[in-house]
Amino acid sequence: MRNFKKYLFAFMFLLSLFVLIGCGEKPTILSIKVVSEMYVGDFCALDAEISAGELSNVQWSVDNPEVAKIENNKVIALKVGSFKLTATIEDSTLSHDIKVIEKKVYNISYELNGGLEDENNPLVKDYNSDLGEVALTEPLKEGYTFSHWELLSGGGSEILSGNTLTIGTQDANVKAIYTP
């Protein structure tokens, strides 16, 4: 019984010491896992790597509420500009700079040269300059075989092979070329 009391006393002493010193590691934000560039109107889920604790305990804020806002665990880009996204948990804070840009959308106009448009190729097609390449569908012309698309105008656009258009920096106009 005497040994039991000694062990109990030692256990209680160590437990008290543990509680006084701290119950564990303090959470630290190691990184913020979001993009560095967003388009106006886009959103990005908020995510961070933390050393301990629950991600749901991270508090998020933006320094420029005219450019972006926090809503439903997402950051939403409102207008062109830049902002600092900050994550905080207890005494740990980390920030990440994000730039908001306008999405550039251009049109492709088709001159069918007597052919009929394919239903997959509308006469005017919007495309985003970030796509890099756009696959064009061949039009139909009775008695002829489609050969290729010819680029009439397009500020940096280029026809790579028969039906692939690389995206430039302005609207593009292409013409269908056929062989008999």
Side-chain angles (χ1 to χ4, degrees):
M1 182 73 163
R2 201 179 227 173
N3 284 342
F4 176 75
K5 286 183 181 180
K6 284 182 187 177
Y7 289 119
L8 181 61
F9 178 79
F11 174 76
M12 295 302 285
F13 175 78
L14 290 174
L15 181 61
S16 299
L17 190 61
F18 178 75
V19 169
L20 287 173
I21 292 173
C23 295
E25 182 182 359
K26 287 188 110 0
T28 302
I29 297 175
L30 303 173
S31 67
I32 296 176
K33 300 178 182 180
V34 294
V35 297
S36 294
E37 198 169 83
M38 299 174 71
Y39 290 118
V40 173
D42 281 354
F43 66 88
C44 180
L46 297 172
D47 193 12
E49 181 181 356
I50 57 175
S51 64
E54 296 292 323
L55 189 58
S56 61
N57 292 330
V58 174
Q59 299 295 313
W60 297 92
S61 63
V62 295
D63 72 338
N64 193 347
E66 291 182 9
V67 174
K69 69 178 180 177
I70 305 293
E71 189 175 280
N72 299 325
N73 208 35
K74 297 177 191 136
V75 60
I76 302 169
L78 302 174
K79 72 178 203 176
V80 172
S82 61
F83 66 96
K84 190 176 295 284
L85 175 68
T86 301
T88 304
I89 188 167
E90 291 188 23
D91 296 332
S92 178
T93 299
L94 188 64
S95 294
H96 181 73
D97 292 321
I98 300 176
K99 182 178 178 182
V100 179
I101 59 174
E102 192 70 44
K103 187 179 259 184
K104 295 177 182 162
V105 177
Y106 302 105
N107 294 313
I108 302 172
S109 301
Y110 303 93
E111 291 186 22
L112 299 174
N113 200 15
L116 301 173
E117 71 174 286
D118 182 287
E119 63 185 41
N120 295 318
N121 241 7
L123 288 178
V124 176
K125 179 178 180 180
D126 290 338
Y127 64 92
N128 178 344
S129 63
D130 290 342
L131 295 176
E133 296 180 356
V134 174
L136 305 176
T137 308
E138 298 177 5
L140 303 172
K141 184 174 182 180
E142 193 171 322
Y144 293 86
T145 302
F146 175 79
S147 171
H148 63 277
W149 290 103
E150 179 182 319
L151 182 65
L152 300 176
S153 65
S157 296
E158 180 183 2
I159 301 289
L160 290 180
S161 61
N163 298 342
T164 304
L165 173 70
T166 62
I167 298 171
T169 58
Q170 56 186 249
D171 293 348
N173 187 8
V174 295
K175 180 178 180 180
I177 306 298
Y178 306 92
T179 55

